[in-house]
Amino acid sequence: DGGITQSPKYLFRKEGQNVTLSCEQNLNHDAMYWYRQDPGQGLRLIYYSQIVNDFQKGDIAEGYSVSREKKESFPLTVTSAQKNPTAFYLCASASLRTGGTPLHFGNGTRLTVT
Amino acid sequence: DQQVKQNSPSLSVQEGRISILNCDYTNSMFDYFLWYKKYPAEGPTFLISISSIKDKNEDGRFTVFLNKSAKHLSLHIVPSQPGDSAVYFCAAGSGGSNYKLTFGKGTLLTVNP
């Protein structure tokens, strides 16, 4: 069964600690994305990658870092520089052969930083 | 600067009636539009899309209408069912823009039995 797996579903961290969110896909999609959702807000793009070893900043990249060493994996690190890290994080992927849409989303990781 | 706007945070309809969710956009470069449905604590799931060369696309109970001159699109669900209760996001993108989507803030649809 193809899909996108995000782990863990819930994550708790102390302020000042870096934390890495996992995202794996077995859809053979070229492009992968990280979005953030806050209450009453839409999905805002953090980073995206269209090819291995390459990625671009989205609209709210400050305080985050990513890597794309394998086609299947696109981990997101929330650093201590991110001022408001508590949020629901969504990973998505898409096939560039279909024009990059539609995006297929994972079930998200809810990060709480105290 | 919000390029995709969903001005109604919530909508409540009776089962069996029509649900109409609206979305406005400001960026003239957008040339394809999508609707996603999201349940709490889950990722959004793709519902239906439309490209700017069309003004209507239909898939079962779901129809999306696009009015390019007004920069407005709407999602019609008929008949509405209680299982349709969810947050609906409108998203827009342009083919030459690195395949990025811009999302609205969402509309919470509640379908009452």
Side-chain angles (χ1 to χ4, degrees), chain A:
Chain A
D1 226 358
I4 301 175
T5 302
Q6 290 187 243
S7 60
K9 192 167 180 67
Y10 299 96
L11 193 52
F12 298 88
R13 278 294 181 271
K14 293 289 187 185
E15 196 173 321
Q17 293 179 335
N18 292 354
V19 59
T20 297
L21 282 60
S22 169
C23 178
E24 304 277 332
Q25 55 101 358
N26 60 5
L27 299 166
N28 198 32
H29 284 170
D30 309 286
M32 296 187 74
Y33 306 79
W34 275 104
Y35 283 87
R36 167 182 173 144
Q37 186 191 12
D38 295 283
Q41 299 291 320
L43 280 63
R44 293 183 291 168
L45 182 63
I46 304 172
Y47 267 99
Y48 63 105
S49 166
Q50 296 179 32
I51 194 169
V52 173
N53 292 324
D54 189 43
F55 45 82
Q56 287 78 42
K57 293 182 179 180
D59 301 317
I60 54 166
E62 186 176 347
Y64 298 98
S65 66
V66 293
S67 63
R68 186 89 186 273
E69 296 177 4
K70 299 186 300 182
K71 186 176 183 179
E72 302 79 18
S73 178
F74 192 41
L76 172 75
T77 297
V78 184
T79 75
S80 56
Q82 167 49 233
K83 293 176 183 173
N84 296 296
T86 295
F88 188 54
Y89 290 88
L90 286 159
C91 179
S93 70
S95 170
L96 296 182
R97 282 170 287 177
T98 59
T101 61
L103 295 186
H104 297 259
F105 284 88
N107 278 330
T109 293
R110 182 163 297 282
L111 173 65
T112 302
V113 176
T114 56

Side-chain angles (χ1 to χ4, degrees), chain B residues 65-85:
Chain B
F65 295 92
L66 175 62
N67 182 334
K68 289 187 292 293
S69 60
K71 293 192 177 67
H72 176 84
L73 64 155
S74 61
L75 175 67
H76 292 211
I77 306 173
V78 56
S80 301
Q81 299 172 354
D84 296 330
S85 297

Side-chain angles (χ1 to χ4, degrees), chain B:
Chain B
D1 179 26
Q2 215 180 334
Q3 298 186 65
V4 177
K5 300 178 185 178
Q6 294 177 257
N7 292 319
S8 297
S10 62
L11 174 68
S12 183
V13 299
Q14 286 299 121
E15 181 178 5
R17 307 293 289 268
I18 185 171
S19 296
I20 300 176
L21 297 99
N22 294 303
C23 178
D24 297 293
Y25 62 96
T26 58
N27 188 338
S28 301
M29 298 301 293
F30 288 147
D31 57 12
Y32 63 87
F33 306 88
L34 305 91
W35 284 94
Y36 282 83
K37 174 181 179 179
K38 184 181 181 302
Y39 294 116
E42 293 185 10
T45 54
F46 169 70
L47 265 180
I48 193 169
S49 64
I50 188 167
S51 76
S52 60
I53 62 173
K54 293 186 173 183
D55 54 18
K56 176 182 174 181
N57 190 26
E58 194 171 352
D59 184 2
R61 296 185 298 114
F62 302 93
T63 303
V64 55
F65 295 92
L66 175 62
N67 182 334
K68 289 187 292 293
S69 60
K71 293 192 177 67
H72 176 84
L73 64 155
S74 61
L75 175 67
H76 292 211
I77 306 173
V78 56
S80 301
Q81 299 172 354
D84 296 330
S85 297
V87 176
Y88 289 78
F89 289 101
C90 170
S94 57
S97 181
N98 295 321
Y99 309 105
K100 292 191 299 179
L101 290 183
T102 301
F103 285 80
K105 291 187 176 182
T107 297
L108 173 62
L109 173 65
T110 302
V111 180
N112 301 303

